[in-house]
Structure formats: structure tokens, C-alpha cells
Amino acid sequence: MEYTNLDATNEKLIQNDISSSSSSSSQPRKGGFRTMPFIIVNECFERVASFGIMPNMILYLRDDYNMPIPKATNFLYTWSAMSNILSIFGAFLSDSYLGRFNVIFIGSLSSLLGLTILWFTAMVPALKPSGESSSLIHVLDSATSSQLAVLFVSLGLISIGAGCVRPCSIAFGADQLAIKENSDDGWKIGLGVPAFLMLISAISFVVGSPFYVKGRPSESLLTNFIRVVVVAIKYRKHSLPDHGFDQYCQGRDSDLMVPTDSLRFLNKACVIRNHETDLNSDGSVSNPWNLCTIGQVESLKSLLRVIPMWSTGIFMMATQTSFSTLQAKTMNRRLFGNFNFPAGSFNLIMVFTLSIVIPSYDRIAVPLLAKYTGRPRGFSCKVRIGIGMLFICAAKAIAAIVETVRRKAAIEQGFEDQPNAVINMSALWLVPEFVLLGLGEAFMPVAFVEFFYTYFSKSMSSFAMAIFTLELAGGDVVSSMLVSIVDKVSIIGGNESWLSTNINKGHLNYHYALHAFLGMINYLYFLVICRAYYRPEHGEKLEASKGKEDDKFDYRELHTS
């Protein structure tokens, strides 16, 4: 029966090849490198548009919506988490129902609409609280429910757009192969530019439509995972066969003749109990909710195997760039002449560091490590994850020290009650923190993604990025919870909140120190997980044997027992 299926498949492939060849002369060729500019422009402008406004939103919410810092921070964390979580659904929609082109198109329009509405909040006075706001005076009414609703809708549409564009762009590409700071005019232009970029992004993507290869949606991995669990539970009382590979449904999605011994409970999902009723005449599964293939079972196992390591990165993905923007706003940001470095642009230091470290490590450090240690890929994924965690912990510790110095200077200079006043302290004090964050980003997130790829089969390669995105969302949720806890606990006894809207009276330094401490606890947890679940000696041997296949993701650097 198996050979018959192979012959039938080969005949279909030959027929498809002949038909495609005969029609190649009459139909224009699609795909290829000519589609890349459209996709890259769409992806880049979407990220510039959404990420560009993120650091400055804390100032917009505080100064124009009269929102307390803890509430504004939680608001932004929720927005970021929603964007990352929606990426999972965007990938699900593209794989199972609409296809990548349609999902990216919908996402581009959604982001454009959201950014346009957000821009209108700066342009239309009725969409924001009324009052007076300057560097010394900050008297605003609270935002009404309707004003907040417009703001929520705009950011929600941006999140939907990000959730549609980000998980699909890379895979879709693979298918082809001087204004015053306190002036309201600043927000009108500052929010108008991302909206304009998103307009260019959407137009660029649509213009390339005639050239794209638009693959049809296929079966979703999430659906397969649910099926494996359901079938395994349904037949939980049945025993596993002692031997015989013909007792398992192999399908066409696995090279294994029998399932692996780990997580044996799930193996019951791929046991053939009756060849006549469980299989069709061509060997396919008659009812996918009664029988799964070995490949489907092993895919779920590979997901479960990475969860312990995945859990170690959730807290470390938490970011505090909004607080850094508040710090920079109160510091002397003059670099030369009358040019002041924008308070929300210090993330560029992290991006610049990241852009230098990643290629330097890949082109310089990896060859040296391969030469002297025999490891063709340099440090293992686990080592790079650990290094990144330590850099991030160091960044938080430095941030606590810098904020202690900044707060002391603000009080000594008589600005304790003026949180918007610029103190006599250079904002360059913030540079080491962002450099360390850039070093951490260059090691930890990249290594996490590679680690996920090593555990997943090629058919699950897109799911590796989805798991990483879910980790980012988890980091946002944890950060939001920590901000709420710190704000509520620190005011016990009538004290000023550590995260006070007036950062000169608050203790943002304590909050940074808490992050550094919890980060080290998380690092120890990471070491325990590595020791308990992942044995490096297996991965080192396999890594050495496949050192010449760097361009493929079919290796296993680490292996579980």
C-alpha cells in the first residue's frame, strides 16, 4: 500500500510538472527576488511605524492624557502583549484560512487605520483632555470615556496590524525565495510620520501583488496539537503495542517508523487499532480525530520539550524603556550646538550596539571559537542565552545606579516638585545601560530563536518564531503585573509610590534594583532548567557532525533525555 501511494504521488508530481512547463510560456513567472523590495519595505515601515511611537507613548499618555505613570506603563505593556499574542492568531489565520498575502494586506490596512486615528488624537482637540501643559505647569482634566475609547481603538488596530504583518512577512518572503518639545505641533507631526510610513508600507505591499506567489493555506499546527491530545485522552486506557512499526500511522510527515519513547502517553494517538476503519484505501487517515500520524505526535512532543527553556526567558524579555524615556526627558540631552537628542530615541543606541555585535560575533568570534574549541557554531545556544541574561541583569543594575545619581541631582538642584524640569546632568549617563541591553539582545533572543529551531522539524519552522513571540507577550504581561504590585506595595504606610508620576519623588532606582535582583534569580532558575532537562554532551557531538550544514535548520544542538 505504501509503494502504491508513492507511485501515485510521483505521477501527480510529474503531471503537475508537465502542466506547469506547458503553461510557463503563456503565464508570467511569479516570485523570485523581484518581490523582495515590496515585502521588505512593507515589513520595515510597519516596524518603524509601530516601534517608532512606542518609547514616546509614555510621554504622550502622561502629558496629553493626564495618565499616572503606573497606569500608563501598564497600558503600554498591555498594548505590547496584545500585539505579540495577536501574532499567534495572525499566523493561524494565514496558515489555515486566508493565506499570507491576504493576512498581510489586512494587517497593513489595520495598522494604517490605527495610526491615522492615533494621529487624529493629536490633531483634533476634542479627542484629548483639555487644560494646560508645559515644562512647569501641568493642569489637565482626566480623559473621558469616549476619548479613551478612541485611543484604545487606535492602538488596538495597530496591534491587529502588527499581529498580521510580523508573523507572515518572513514566511511570505520565503515563499518568493526642529519643533519645540512641549508644543502640540510636535505630536501632530510625530504621530503623523508613522501613519505616513504605514501608508507607504501598505501601498508598497499591494503594488507587488501581481508578482507574488500566493500559496494556499494548509492545516494548522495548533489544530494538530489539539487532535493529538484529544485522541491520546480518548484512548488513554488502551495499551501500546510491544513491537511492530506497522501498528503506528506513519503518514507522509515523518521519517520515523515508530514514535520516540519520551512522553509515551502521547504515542497512543498514533496507534492503528483497525486498519480497515482507521485508514482509507489510499493509506490516509479516515478520521483525524480518531488517529494521528507519528509526525503530528512528535511535533507536539518537540513543543513540550522546549517549554522548560521557553519559561526561563519570559521575565528576561520584560523591558523598561518607557521609564528610560522619562529619565532622559529630565536630563540634558544637548549633543552639539542646539541639537538635543530626542528622549524617546535612546533605543537607537541599543539597536546600534545590536547591529555591531551580531555580525561581529558571526564573522569574527565564531571562526575563532571553531578554530580553538572545535565548535563550528561558536558558543552553544544555552551559553549565549546565559550570557544575554547576565548582560540584561547588569543593565538593570547600572540603571539603578544612574537613577540614584539623577534623582539626587534633581533634589539638590531644587527640582523635586518639578518632574518636567531639565536638570544639570548629561543624558549620556544612560548610554551604558542601553549598550548593555544591546549586548543582551544580541545574545539572548537570537539564541532562543535558534534553540527553538533546533528542536522543531522543518514543517514547524514558522512555529518557532510564534513561540518566541508568545514569550515576548509573556514578558509584557509579567512586567505589567510587576509594575502593579510595586505601585500598590510601595504606597503602604502613606509613602510615595516608587513609580510616582513625579519621578523625582518616586524611587525608580529601587524598581530597577528589584529587576536586577529578580533577573539573577531567573538566571539561577535557567541554570537549574539546563541541568535538569538538557544535556549538552549529546548536542556537542551532533553539532560537530553537522558543522557544514549551517544554512539548514534540521540539526539538534541539544537533546533531552
Side-chain angles (χ1 to χ4, degrees):
M1 183 180 295
E2 183 177 357
Y3 292 105
T4 303
N5 293 337
L6 290 174
D7 292 338
T9 302
N10 290 334
E11 289 180 4
K12 290 181 180 179
L13 290 174
I14 293 174
Q15 292 173 0
N16 291 337
D17 186 46
I18 294 174
S19 61
S20 62
S21 299
S22 62
S23 61
S24 60
S25 59
S26 60
Q27 294 182 357
R29 183 180 179 183
K30 295 187 177 183
F33 284 102
R34 62 178 177 174
T35 63
M36 291 301 105
F38 305 106
I39 299 173
I40 292 174
V41 168
N42 175 262
E43 171 75 4
C44 291
F45 279 171
E46 187 280 326
R47 289 186 179 271
V48 169
S50 56
F51 288 147
I53 64 175
M54 184 67 174
N56 294 292
M57 281 302 296
I58 186 70
L59 300 176
Y60 191 55
L61 296 177
R62 184 195 67 176
D63 298 339
D64 287 64
Y65 279 83
N66 197 25
M67 195 175 291
I69 292 302
K71 182 178 179 180
T73 303
N74 282 333
F75 181 85
L76 294 178
Y77 278 136
T78 303
W79 175 35
S80 179
M82 184 168 62
S83 299
N84 289 319
I85 292 175
L86 286 175
S87 295
I88 304 295
F89 293 99
F92 176 77
L93 284 176
S94 66
D95 291 342
S96 303
Y97 297 103
L98 301 179
R100 294 190 182 102
F101 174 83
N102 291 328
V103 171
I104 295 176
F105 177 70
I106 293 172
S108 298
L109 293 182
S110 180
S111 290
L112 174 59
L113 180 59
L115 286 166
T116 302
I117 295 175
L118 183 61
W119 177 42
F120 282 165
T121 64
M123 296 293 294
V124 181
L127 297 180
K128 287 191 305 184
S130 59
E132 182 179 2
S133 179
S134 66
S135 60
L136 298 178
I137 302 176
H138 186 73
V139 181
L140 286 175
D141 299 329
S142 298
T144 63
S145 299
S146 58
Q147 290 171 339
L148 289 176
V150 173
L151 181 65
F152 293 162
V153 168
S154 66
L155 297 182
L157 289 170
I158 296 173
S159 293
I160 293 173
C164 290
V165 175
R166 295 175 192 174
C168 300
S169 288
I170 296 177
F172 188 69
D175 290 340
Q176 319 304 316
L177 174 220
I179 295 173
K180 294 181 180 180
E181 297 179 357
N182 296 306
S183 172
D184 288 339
D185 291 338
W187 287 116
K188 295 175 183 177
I189 296 179
L191 297 179
V193 170
F196 178 72
L197 290 176
M198 197 61 235
L199 174 62
I200 298 177
S201 172
I203 293 175
S204 171
F205 181 75
V206 174
V207 167
S209 176
F211 308 107
Y212 297 142
V213 175
K214 302 170 185 176
R216 296 179 180 179
S218 58
E219 196 173 43
S220 171
L221 283 173
L222 293 176
T223 303
N224 287 336
F225 293 158
I226 296 174
R227 285 173 178 168
V228 171
V229 174
V230 169
V231 177
I233 294 176
K234 183 186 295 186
Y235 297 108
R236 62 188 180 278
K237 296 182 179 180
H238 290 229
S239 59
L240 292 170
D242 296 332
H243 56 80
F245 63 85
D246 59 336
Q247 298 297 314
Y248 294 97
C249 181
Q250 298 171 15
R252 301 187 182 95
D253 53 357
S254 177
D255 295 331
L256 297 175
M257 304 296 289
V258 294
T260 57
D261 290 334
S262 61
L263 302 171
R264 286 174 56 84
F265 169 77
L266 296 176
N267 293 350
K268 297 180 180 181
C270 60
V271 175
I272 302 175
R273 293 161 185 85
N274 189 318
H275 284 74
E276 295 182 357
T277 58
D278 290 344
L279 301 176
N280 294 320
S281 57
D282 60 352
S284 61
V285 176
S286 59
N287 186 347
W289 293 98
N290 283 333
L291 178 64
C292 300
T293 65
I294 294 176
Q296 292 171 336
V297 171
E298 292 303 317
S299 293
L300 178 57
K301 287 183 180 180
S302 62
L303 171 63
L304 296 177
R305 290 190 189 107
V306 304
I307 286 180
M309 181 64 74
W310 174 84
S311 67
T312 65
I314 293 178
F315 179 80
M316 303 308 294
M317 296 296 178
T319 58
Q320 300 291 328
T321 53
S322 296
F323 294 131
S324 299
T325 302
L326 293 174
Q327 291 175 279
K329 187 74 173 179
T330 68
M331 302 170 78
N332 182 4
R333 293 173 279 110
R334 180 174 298 174
L335 296 184
F336 50 84
N338 293 324
F339 176 73
N340 287 336
F341 196 77
S345 299
F346 275 81
N347 279 350
L348 293 176
I349 299 173
M350 182 173 65
V351 175
F352 183 71
T353 303
L354 183 72
S355 302
I356 294 177
V357 173
I358 289 181
S360 298
Y361 174 80
D362 185 60
R363 299 299 178 183
I364 300 175
V366 170
L368 291 176
L369 290 169
K371 180 179 179 180
Y372 293 105
T373 66
R375 300 181 64 90
R377 295 186 181 85
F379 291 126
S380 67
C381 293
K382 289 194 304 181
V383 172
R384 281 183 284 146
I385 291 173
I387 291 174
M389 287 182 175
L390 291 178
F391 274 128
I392 292 176
C393 290
K396 299 304 179 185
I398 293 296
I401 296 174
V402 171
E403 173 57 18
T404 300
V405 176
R406 190 211 62 80
R407 182 177 181 274
K408 181 180 179 181
I411 295 175
E412 290 178 349
Q413 295 172 26
F415 296 125
E416 183 177 6
D417 296 322
Q418 300 179 29
N420 293 326
V422 178
I423 66 175
N424 185 23
M425 179 179 176
S426 175
L428 294 179
W429 279 73
L430 298 174
V431 172
E433 169 192 346
F434 283 95
V435 170
L436 289 171
L437 286 175
L439 290 169
E441 289 285 324
F443 282 94
M444 187 183 71
V446 176
F448 262 117
V449 173
E450 184 177 337
F451 180 85
F452 297 151
Y453 270 113
T454 62
Y455 266 83
F456 294 149
S457 61
K458 287 184 177 181
S459 62
M460 296 180 64
S461 58
S462 61
F463 201 77
M465 199 64 196
I467 288 295
F468 176 72
T469 303
L470 191 60
E471 193 171 41
L472 294 176
D476 292 325
V477 173
V478 170
S479 297
S480 178
M481 293 174 58
L482 186 60
V483 166
S484 298
I485 293 173
V486 168
D487 181 52
K488 293 179 179 179
V489 172
S490 59
I491 63 176
I492 294 177
N495 297 319
E496 187 79 21
S497 172
W498 289 4
L499 305 177
S500 172
T501 302
N502 184 347
I503 63 173
N504 294 336
K505 286 188 174 182
H507 281 284
L508 191 56
N509 51 341
Y510 294 170
H511 186 66
Y512 280 134
L514 177 62
H515 260 267
F517 174 74
L518 294 178
M520 289 305 302
I521 297 296
N522 186 89
Y523 177 72
L524 296 177
Y525 168 66
F526 162 76
L527 295 179
V528 171
I529 290 295
C530 290
R531 183 67 179 268
Y533 291 99
Y534 306 97
R535 296 191 296 174
E537 62 271 12
H538 291 173
E540 290 171 357
K541 294 178 182 179
L542 192 57
E543 185 182 72
S545 66
K546 295 193 176 182
K548 296 183 180 180
E549 300 180 6
D550 291 339
D551 57 330
K552 300 180 180 179
F553 284 107
D554 57 351
Y555 56 87
R556 299 289 188 274
E557 181 179 2
L558 301 173
H559 193 66
T560 54
S561 56

